[in-house]
Amino acid sequence: MMTYIGSMTLCLLLFLLIMCGSVCHGGKLLVFPGEGSHWVNMDILIKALHSQGHTITVVRTTKSWYIKDESSYYSSITITVTDAMDEEFVKPIIKNVIDIQRGTSSVINIIHSQIKMFSALSQVHKYACDLATAVLKDKDLIKTLKENQYDLVLTDPAWGTGILVAHYLQLPLVYNVQWAISGEGHLTIAPSPMSYIPMTLSGHSDKMTFTERVKNMLLYLLFTVRDRLTLRPHYQAVCDEFFQPGVDFYELLQGADLWLMRVDFVFEFPRPTMPNVIYMGGFQCNPAKPLPQELEEFFHSSGEHGVIIMSLGTFVTEFPHDLADVIAAAFAQLPQKVIWRHKGDRPATLGNNTLLVDWMPQNDLLGHPKTRLFVAHGGTNGVQEAIYHGIPVVGLPLFFDQYDNLLRLKERGGAKLLSMATVDKNNNFLEALQEVLDEPSYRMNMQRLSRLHRDVPMEPLDTALFWIEFVMRHKGAAHLRTESNKMPWYSYHSVDVVLILLGVVSVLILLPVAIVRYLCFRKCLKRKMKSE
Amino acid sequence: MMTYIGSMTLCLLLFLLIMCGSVCHGGKLLVFPGEGSHWVNMDILIKALHSQGHTITVVRTTKSWYIKDESSYYSSITITVTDAMDEEFVKPIIKNVIDIQRGTSSVINIIHSQIKMFSALSQVHKYACDLATAVLKDKDLIKTLKENQYDLVLTDPAWGTGILVAHYLQLPLVYNVQWAISGEGHLTIAPSPMSYIPMTLSGHSDKMTFTERVKNMLLYLLFTVRDRLTLRPHYQAVCDEFFQPGVDFYELLQGADLWLMRVDFVFEFPRPTMPNVIYMGGFQCNPAKPLPQELEEFFHSSGEHGVIIMSLGTFVTEFPHDLADVIAAAFAQLPQKVIWRHKGDRPATLGNNTLLVDWMPQNDLLGHPKTRLFVAHGGTNGVQEAIYHGIPVVGLPLFFDQYDNLLRLKERGGAKLLSMATVDKNNNFLEALQEVLDEPSYRMNMQRLSRLHRDVPMEPLDTALFWIEFVMRHKGAAHLRTESNKMPWYSYHSVDVVLILLGVVSVLILLPVAIVRYLCFRKCLKRKMKSE
C-alpha cells in the first residue's frame, strides 16, 4: 500500500511541478530543426514543449521547406541563404533512386547516380555549415541570441548547424535523433560491435552469417572513410574558423547532453546504449481520433473485410505510372476497401473499392478498428504508428533507412517486404497483400509488438519532456555523459596499453633466450679457439 | 494541456493497473537471495513485491544467516546443507583484511591471506553450486516447484544458484544486482572499454593515467583468468550434470531477462549499458521518519553544531581497540554530538558528546536536518543513503567494493577518504572530520548529488516493481536482450572477419609483387642461360 500512495504522491507532485513549471518557470529553447520529414517529428516535440509553457525559437532559412516562419507555438529566426537542401534539391535524387531500385537504369547510370548521391550528401552538409557560418558571422544575431539567455539548444543531429551554434553560445545540447550526420545515431555515441550491430543501409538483421559480417565490416569502413573525407571536413572548417584551436567537431557531436532517440527496443534490435540516451520511439503516436464523416462511412462500407491503408510518405510526390497501375489493379481484385494517399494521375486500373486522397490522417486511420493492413514505404513515423496500432505491413521500401526500418518489422513477423524491382512482376504485390491479410500470424505479431510498445512506465512524449526539462533544471546532464570521446582512438581502444604489455611480455620471453644463445655462442667460440 | 491530461490519465491508469494487479493477478516469484548484507536489499524488494499482492517463496539454507524461515511477507523453502558461507566463514576473512589494511601483517602473511581470499571466494561459489545440486537432485522439491508455476526467478547474481535453477525450470530470470559472480555487474553484460571503465577493486576513477590504464588492464586479465580457472568450473560442472550438452554457464549468467542494478549514474561513473539493465540505485532510501524521543532529544541537544553519524556496517562486529580509541578521542574534541554504531567494548577515550548504539535507524538519522556528517565504511546502502539525504562523508573503507564506492563520492567532491593504515596517525581522522565539517563544498556537492538523484520520472523502487511485473506480464523480456553472448568470442569481437580482410588485402598486395619477382627471376635466368 505504501508504494501505491508513494506512486500517487509522486504523480501528483510531478503534475504540480509541471503545472508550476508551465506557469512560472517556462524555459527558453533555441531549436535547429532538420528539413523535410525530419521537421514532422520536431514539430510535435515543439508543440508539446510549448504546451508545457516553454518559449521556443526556431532557426529556419529562406529556403526552408515545411518550416513556416509564423506559428502560434514558436517564433522563428529566418536566415537568408542562396542554396539549401530544399524540395528542388531532393526531387531529382529521389527520382534517381526509384529508377535504380526498379532496375530501369543502366550500370553506368547507377555508378553515376551513386557518385551523385555521395556528392549530394556532402553538399547537404556543406549547406548546414554555410548556415552555421551565416549565424556565427552575424554579430547582431549572436548578440540577440546571447541576450535571450536560452536554456538549451534542441537539434536534429542529422545536420550539424545546431551543434556548432550551441558550442559557440556555450549552451546545453539536446538531440531529437535517429540519424547523426552520417549514420544511425547509436553508432556515434555507443559501442557498436560490428558482429551483431547491422550497419545503416546494410539490410542485415542482428543475426548475421559470416559473409554478412564481412559485408557489414566493409560497410562500416566505407562509412567511416566517407565520413572522414567528405563530411567532417566541412564542419571542422567551421570549428577552425570560429572556435579555440583544438576543438574537434566529432567531439562536439558526441558530447551532447541528451540523445532523445526516435526508436525503442520494440522497434530497434537490442544493442549497447549509453546513460544519456533516452528512448522516445513512437512519441508521435496517439489513440485514434474519430474520422471525418465521409471517411467513417467509407470504413463502415467495408463490412467484415475491413480497410487497407496505403501511403508512401511525404517525399514521393510523383509515382511511376506503370507501377501505380499494377498497384491499383491488385487492390481492385481484393474484397477490402482501400484508402491510398496518391499525388499523381489517377491510375487507369483503379477499382471502385479504392479511394485516392491527397492527404490523410494516417494515425487515426491506422487506429481504426476496421483497418486490416498498411502498405508503407518504411519511413520511421509510419512504422512507429503501425507498431502503436498493431497493424501488419506490406513494405515497399524506396531509399535511405526505409528498408532497415521495415526489416525490423519483418524480423518480428509483422511485415512482408517487396522490392521495387519485382513488385510489378508475377502478381507479387497482390500475393503479398493476400498473404498478410489471410495469415493471422502477421496481425498477432504486430499486436504483440503493440502491447510491448505501450507497456511503459511513462509515455514516450512525456519521457522526452521530462528529460528536456531535466537538462534545463540542472543546466546540462554531465553526470550521464562519458568523456571517453576526448581520448585519442588508440587510448580509447587500449591499443597503447596492449602494445606495451605485448612488448614487456616479448622482452621477458626473448631476453632469456637471447642471453642463453649469447652464452652458448661464446662457449662454442671459446671451444673452437681452444681446439684451433 | 494535452500532456498534463495525458500524464494524469497515465498515472490513474497505472494506479488502477497496480491496484488491479495486486487484487486479481498477483504473480508468483521464486527468490534465491544472497547471504549477508546482500539480503538487506533483497528483503526490501520482497516486501514491496508482497505489498503489490505477489506471492514470494524464498529459498534459504539451514546455515542462512539473516534470512529467517518465517516471515509475514514470504514463505520459505529451507535446504539442508553441511557447509555454507555463514557468519563463521566470513569473520576470520574480515579480521584478516583489516589486519592487512592496517599494515599489521607481515609480507608473508599478506601473500598467505591473499591466497586464502582467492580460495575462500572459490569456496563460496562451490557452496552455491552444492546448493543448486541439492535443489536439482531433490525430485520432490523440483516437482513442487514445477507445480507451483512461478512467474519468474529473482536472484542476486553474486551467487549462481538461482541462475541454474531458473534454467532448469525454464523460468524468466530477473537480477537484483550490483556484483555478478566475480565482479561489478556491467562487466558481464555491457561492453566495457578498459580505457575508461575502472575495474572492480582497482581504486581508479573513469579518468586514468597511462600507468593506471595498464594496471586496469592487468587487473581485468587477472579477474578473467581467476574467473575461468577458479569460479566458472564449479558452475559448469552443474550445467554438465543437469542440462543438455553444450549449455554454457556464462551464457546463462549473461542471458537474464532483466538486470535491476543497485546503482544509478549519480553514483556510478557514466559508461555503456544495455537495454535490459534497469537502474534502481537508492531504491532502499526513504524520507526520514520521526526519531524515537530519546534520539530526537540527543539531536536537539547538539544545538547549531549538529550531529555526526558513524557506522561501519553489518559485517564489522568487532573493531580493533586501539583504533576505536583514536576515533573516540577525535570525536571528543569536536563541538558536534556523535552517534556511533559500535559493537565492541566502550573505548577508553570516549567523550561525553558521543553516544554508542548497537543498532540505529540509519536512514532516519541521515535524513535529520541536524545531521552534518556521516562517517561510513562505504557499503552500497550507506553510500546511497548519504546521496539521497545529501550528507557529506568521511570514508573509512575496509574491503570489497567499499573503496570504489567511496571513491565515487570523493570524485564528485562529496567525501574525504582515509585509509585504515593511516587513520590513527598525526590527527588524520580529526583533521578529516574538521575539513569536511568546515569546508562548505562537501555539503554543497552532496546536496547537488541528492537533487540529481531525486529528480527522476519514477521512484527507483516503483521502477523496479514496474519492470518485474513487466517480465511477468510478457513472460520475459527477450526483445531487450541481445543474443550476442551466444557468439564465440572471436566472432563477437570480429577477429575472424578482420583476419579474413587482412588476408585478402595481403594477397592483393603480395600477389602482384610475387608475380613481378617471378617474371624478373625467369628473365634473369633466361639471360644467364643465353650468356652461358
Side-chain angles (χ1 to χ4, degrees):
Chain A
M1 199 59 202
M2 274 303 288
T3 36
Y4 308 151
I5 297 168
S7 93
M8 278 312 283
T9 319
L10 177 77
C11 293
L12 274 170
L13 277 173
L14 216 71
F15 181 66
L16 288 172
L17 197 78
I18 293 166
M19 284 295 285
C20 177
S22 72
V23 181
C24 7
H25 305 296
K28 281 184 176 178
L29 294 97
L30 183 63
V31 181
F32 288 83
E35 294 285 347
S37 64
H38 287 246
W39 169 248
V40 179
N41 286 307
M42 190 63 101
D43 191 37
I44 293 168
L45 206 52
I46 290 174
K47 246 183 224 147
L49 282 162
H50 172 78
S51 79
Q52 302 289 63
H54 303 297
T55 311
I56 293 113
T57 309
V58 172
V59 181
R60 62 187 286 283
T61 74
T62 39
K63 294 259 179 180
S64 272
W65 188 353
Y66 291 126
I67 313 164
K68 302 277 164 277
D69 60 344
E70 277 188 32
S71 156
S72 57
Y73 49 94
Y74 65 80
S75 63
S76 75
I77 294 169
T78 304
I79 312 290
T80 307
V81 292
T82 45
D83 289 303
M85 193 200 97
D86 57 8
E87 205 160 2
E88 294 313 310
F89 180 90
V90 171
K91 259 187 185 171
I93 296 176
I94 288 175
K95 193 185 166 318
N96 240 322
V97 177
I98 294 181
D99 285 348
I100 294 172
Q101 293 273 355
R102 296 196 65 197
T104 52
S105 279
S106 69
V107 176
I108 290 172
N109 256 346
I110 290 176
I111 294 171
H112 182 64
S113 296
Q114 287 295 350
I115 293 169
K116 260 168 58 185
M117 285 285 283
F118 259 60
S119 131
L121 188 72
S122 174
Q123 197 56 46
V124 163
H125 290 289
K126 175 78 174 54
Y127 291 153
C129 289
D130 290 346
L131 177 56
T133 305
V135 173
L136 297 180
K137 273 194 172 157
D138 187 336
K139 284 188 183 156
D140 292 336
L141 176 59
I142 287 290
K143 191 165 168 266
T144 314
L145 292 178
K146 281 185 177 165
E147 281 169 359
N148 275 354
Q149 296 191 314
Y150 292 104
D151 291 297
L152 59 82
V153 166
L154 173 65
T155 191
D156 184 327
W159 295 265
T161 316
I163 302 167
L164 294 164
V165 178
H167 181 74
Y168 191 86
L169 297 175
Q170 291 291 300
L171 288 175
L173 183 59
V174 174
Y175 292 157
N176 164 10
V177 49
Q178 187 178 6
W179 285 59
I181 305 285
S182 76
E184 198 274 335
H186 287 98
L187 296 172
T188 305
I189 175 86
S192 306
M194 279 300 119
S195 51
Y196 75 100
I197 310 289
M199 268 301 289
T200 327
L201 308 187
S202 70
H204 298 149
S205 82
D206 59 345
K207 285 167 200 72
M208 290 179 256
T209 63
F210 179 74
T211 325
E212 284 173 339
R213 288 197 289 115
V214 171
K215 197 183 133 200
N216 205 46
M217 181 64 85
L218 287 174
L219 211 57
Y220 169 75
L221 295 173
L222 180 71
F223 267 68
T224 308
V225 169
R226 188 191 66 176
D227 197 46
R228 303 243 166 178
L229 295 186
T230 67
L231 309 185
R232 279 198 225 176
H234 296 309
Y235 291 105
Q236 194 55 48
V238 182
C239 289
D240 295 345
E241 186 178 348
F242 292 97
F243 305 149
Q244 301 279 333
V247 172
D248 176 63
F249 175 72
Y250 205 67
E251 244 181 74
L252 300 185
L253 170 65
Q254 290 181 309
D257 287 277
L258 221 58
W259 295 60
L260 301 171
M261 284 272 183
R262 297 193 295 265
V263 298
D264 65 3
F265 288 105
V266 175
F267 166 79
E268 186 53 277
F269 298 124
R271 54 153 298 138
T273 176
M274 296 299 278
N276 58 341
V277 176
I278 306 292
Y279 294 92
M280 59 166 188
F283 73 102
Q284 70 275 50
C285 304
N286 280 307
K289 288 192 289 288
L291 297 177
Q293 196 175 347
E294 191 193 9
L295 278 178
E296 184 57 50
E297 277 166 16
F298 187 79
F299 266 86
H300 185 72
S301 72
S302 72
E304 58 177 313
H305 297 297
V307 176
I308 296 170
I309 314 292
M310 170 153 174
S311 166
L312 299 184
T314 42
F315 269 127
V316 183
T317 42
E318 280 165 60
F319 200 65
H321 281 118
D322 55 330
L323 210 54
D325 283 347
V326 170
I327 287 172
F331 282 144
Q333 293 185 54
L334 292 173
Q336 280 77 20
K337 296 263 170 152
V338 182
I339 302 179
W340 182 2
R341 184 186 179 191
H342 181 70
K343 285 198 175 173
D345 298 330
R346 187 183 165 86
T349 54
L350 199 76
N352 287 333
N353 63 341
T354 306
L355 178 69
L356 292 187
V357 292
D358 249 11
W359 176 88
M360 57 170 148
Q362 188 170 287
N363 182 68
D364 302 334
L365 295 183
L366 288 174
H368 196 285
K370 277 195 183 293
T371 302
R372 293 285 173 269
L373 173 66
F374 183 31
V375 182
H377 66 313
T380 317
N381 287 339
V383 166
Q384 292 286 0
E385 284 167 5
I387 291 175
Y388 182 84
H389 295 294
I391 303 297
V393 169
V394 167
L396 279 176
L398 295 173
F399 38 73
F400 304 146
D401 55 346
Q402 296 171 359
Y403 183 86
D404 288 340
N405 289 340
L406 289 166
L407 180 74
R408 279 149 180 75
L409 296 192
K410 180 178 170 244
E411 284 287 312
R412 274 73 169 225
K416 189 163 175 73
L417 261 71
L418 289 172
S419 87
M420 286 300 248
T422 59
V423 67
D424 52 352
K425 295 187 177 67
N426 307 326
N427 269 337
N428 271 348
F429 185 63
L430 179 63
E431 280 169 15
L433 294 175
Q434 282 169 333
E435 181 183 329
V436 177
L437 285 166
D438 297 343
E439 171 57 65
S441 70
Y442 286 100
R443 190 172 183 86
M444 280 161 59
N445 285 323
M446 285 305 282
Q447 297 270 334
R448 188 177 56 81
L449 293 186
S450 175
R451 281 195 301 277
L452 285 172
H453 172 77
R454 289 174 179 231
D455 195 359
V456 283
M458 199 179 198
E459 293 287 352
L461 183 58
D462 291 327
T463 307
L465 293 177
F466 175 87
W467 285 105
I468 292 173
E469 290 175 348
F470 181 96
V471 169
M472 291 196 219
R473 281 194 290 275
H474 302 284
K475 307 196 185 310
H479 69 297
L480 298 178
R481 201 176 66 192
T482 80
E483 294 198 359
S484 60
N485 57 333
K486 293 186 180 163
M487 303 176 89
W489 67 268
Y490 51 85
S491 297
Y492 176 88
H493 293 290
S494 294
V495 176
D496 47 1
V497 169
V498 169
L499 285 181
I500 280 287
L501 290 179
L502 284 179
V504 169
V505 169
S506 306
V507 167
L508 286 180
I509 293 173
L510 294 180
L511 201 63
V513 174
I515 291 172
V516 168
R517 283 182 68 171
Y518 172 71
L519 291 177
C520 285
F521 174 73
R522 255 183 56 168
K523 217 171 182 176
C524 289
L525 208 69
K526 268 186 191 169
R527 205 175 290 168
K528 212 177 169 188
M529 281 169 72
K530 255 185 202 170
S531 71
E532 276 174 4
Chain B
M1 197 60 201
M2 274 302 288
T3 36
Y4 306 151
I5 297 167
S7 93
M8 278 312 283
T9 318
L10 177 76
C11 293
L12 275 169
L13 276 173
L14 216 73
F15 181 64
L16 288 172
L17 197 78
I18 292 167
M19 284 295 285
C20 178
S22 72
V23 180
C24 5
H25 306 296
K28 280 183 176 179
L29 295 98
L30 183 62
V31 181
F32 288 83
E35 295 283 348
S37 62
H38 286 245
W39 169 249
V40 179
N41 285 308
M42 191 61 101
D43 192 38
I44 293 168
L45 206 51
I46 290 174
K47 245 183 224 148
L49 283 162
H50 172 79
S51 79
Q52 302 289 61
H54 302 298
T55 311
I56 293 112
T57 308
V58 172
V59 181
R60 62 187 286 283
T61 75
T62 39
K63 294 259 180 179
S64 273
W65 187 353
Y66 291 126
I67 312 164
K68 302 280 165 274
D69 60 345
E70 279 187 31
S71 156
S72 59
Y73 50 95
Y74 65 81
S75 64
S76 74
I77 294 169
T78 303
I79 311 291
T80 307
V81 293
T82 46
D83 289 303
M85 193 202 97
D86 57 8
E87 203 160 2
E88 294 314 308
F89 179 90
V90 171
K91 260 187 185 171
I93 295 175
I94 288 174
K95 195 187 164 317
N96 239 322
V97 177
I98 293 181
D99 285 349
I100 293 172
Q101 292 273 355
R102 296 197 64 199
T104 51
S105 279
S106 70
V107 174
I108 290 171
N109 257 345
I110 290 176
I111 294 169
H112 182 65
S113 296
Q114 286 295 349
I115 293 169
K116 260 168 58 185
M117 284 286 283
F118 259 59
S119 131
L121 188 71
S122 174
Q123 196 56 46
V124 163
H125 291 289
K126 176 77 175 53
Y127 291 153
C129 289
D130 290 347
L131 178 56
T133 305
V135 173
L136 298 179
K137 273 194 174 159
D138 187 336
K139 285 187 182 158
D140 292 336
L141 176 58
I142 287 290
K143 191 163 168 270
T144 313
L145 292 179
K146 281 184 177 166
E147 282 169 359
N148 276 352
Q149 296 190 311
Y150 292 104
D151 291 296
L152 59 82
V153 167
L154 173 66
T155 191
D156 184 326
W159 294 266
T161 316
I163 301 166
L164 294 165
V165 178
H167 182 72
Y168 191 86
L169 298 174
Q170 291 291 299
L171 288 175
L173 183 58
V174 175
Y175 292 158
N176 164 9
V177 49
Q178 187 177 8
W179 285 61
I181 308 284
S182 77
E184 198 273 333
H186 287 97
L187 297 172
T188 306
I189 176 84
S192 306
M194 279 300 119
S195 51
Y196 76 98
I197 310 288
M199 269 301 287
T200 326
L201 308 187
S202 69
H204 297 149
S205 82
D206 59 345
K207 284 168 202 70
M208 291 179 256
T209 63
F210 179 73
T211 324
E212 285 173 338
R213 289 198 288 114
V214 171
K215 196 183 134 202
N216 205 47
M217 182 64 84
L218 287 174
L219 211 56
Y220 169 76
L221 294 173
L222 179 72
F223 266 68
T224 308
V225 169
R226 187 191 65 176
D227 197 46
R228 302 242 167 179
L229 296 186
T230 67
L231 309 185
R232 280 199 225 176
H234 297 307
Y235 292 104
Q236 194 55 48
V238 183
C239 290
D240 295 344
E241 187 177 348
F242 293 95
F243 305 148
Q244 301 277 333
V247 171
D248 177 63
F249 174 71
Y250 205 66
E251 243 181 75
L252 300 185
L253 170 65
Q254 289 180 310
D257 288 277
L258 221 60
W259 296 59
L260 301 170
M261 284 273 181
R262 296 194 294 266
V263 298
D264 65 3
F265 288 104
V266 175
F267 165 78
E268 186 52 275
F269 298 125
R271 52 151 300 137
T273 176
M274 296 300 277
N276 60 341
V277 176
I278 305 292
Y279 294 91
M280 59 166 188
F283 73 101
Q284 71 276 52
C285 304
N286 280 306
K289 288 192 289 289
L291 296 176
Q293 194 175 350
E294 192 193 7
L295 278 178
E296 184 56 50
E297 277 167 16
F298 185 79
F299 266 86
H300 185 73
S301 72
S302 72
E304 59 176 316
H305 297 297
V307 176
I308 296 170
I309 315 291
M310 169 154 175
S311 166
L312 299 184
T314 43
F315 269 127
V316 182
T317 43
E318 280 164 58
F319 200 66
H321 281 117
D322 55 331
L323 211 52
D325 283 347
V326 169
I327 287 171
F331 282 145
Q333 292 184 55
L334 292 173
Q336 279 76 20
K337 296 263 169 153
V338 182
I339 302 180
W340 182 2
R341 184 185 179 192
H342 182 71
K343 283 196 176 171
D345 299 329
R346 187 182 164 86
T349 53
L350 199 76
N352 286 333
N353 64 339
T354 306
L355 178 69
L356 292 187
V357 292
D358 249 11
W359 176 88
M360 57 170 149
Q362 189 171 288
N363 182 67
D364 302 333
L365 294 184
L366 288 174
H368 196 284
K370 276 194 182 294
T371 301
R372 293 286 173 269
L373 171 67
F374 183 30
V375 182
H377 66 313
T380 316
N381 288 339
V383 166
Q384 292 285 1
E385 284 167 5
I387 291 175
Y388 182 84
H389 295 293
I391 303 297
V393 169
V394 167
L396 279 177
L398 296 171
F399 39 72
F400 304 145
D401 55 347
Q402 296 170 0
Y403 183 85
D404 286 340
N405 289 341
L406 289 166
L407 180 73
R408 279 149 179 76
L409 296 191
K410 180 178 169 242
E411 285 287 311
R412 274 73 170 225
K416 189 163 175 74
L417 262 71
L418 289 173
S419 87
M420 286 300 247
T422 58
V423 66
D424 53 351
K425 294 186 178 67
N426 306 328
N427 270 337
N428 270 347
F429 186 64
L430 179 63
E431 279 170 14
L433 295 175
Q434 282 169 332
E435 182 182 329
V436 178
L437 285 166
D438 297 343
E439 171 58 64
S441 70
Y442 286 99
R443 190 172 186 87
M444 279 160 61
N445 285 323
M446 285 305 282
Q447 298 270 335
R448 188 177 57 82
L449 293 186
S450 175
R451 280 195 301 278
L452 286 173
H453 171 78
R454 289 175 180 229
D455 195 358
V456 283
M458 199 180 198
E459 293 287 350
L461 183 58
D462 292 326
T463 306
L465 293 177
F466 174 86
W467 285 105
I468 292 174
E469 291 174 348
F470 181 95
V471 170
M472 290 195 218
R473 281 193 290 276
H474 302 283
K475 307 196 185 310
H479 69 296
L480 298 177
R481 202 175 65 191
T482 80
E483 293 196 1
S484 60
N485 57 331
K486 293 184 180 163
M487 303 177 90
W489 67 268
Y490 52 85
S491 297
Y492 176 87
H493 292 291
S494 292
V495 176
D496 47 2
V497 170
V498 169
L499 285 180
I500 280 286
L501 289 179
L502 284 179
V504 170
V505 169
S506 305
V507 167
L508 287 179
I509 293 173
L510 293 180
L511 200 64
V513 173
I515 291 171
V516 168
R517 283 182 68 175
Y518 173 72
L519 292 177
C520 287
F521 174 73
R522 256 183 54 169
K523 217 171 182 178
C524 290
L525 207 68
K526 269 186 191 168
R527 203 174 293 167
K528 212 175 169 188
M529 278 166 75
K530 257 186 199 169
S531 70
E532 273 175 8

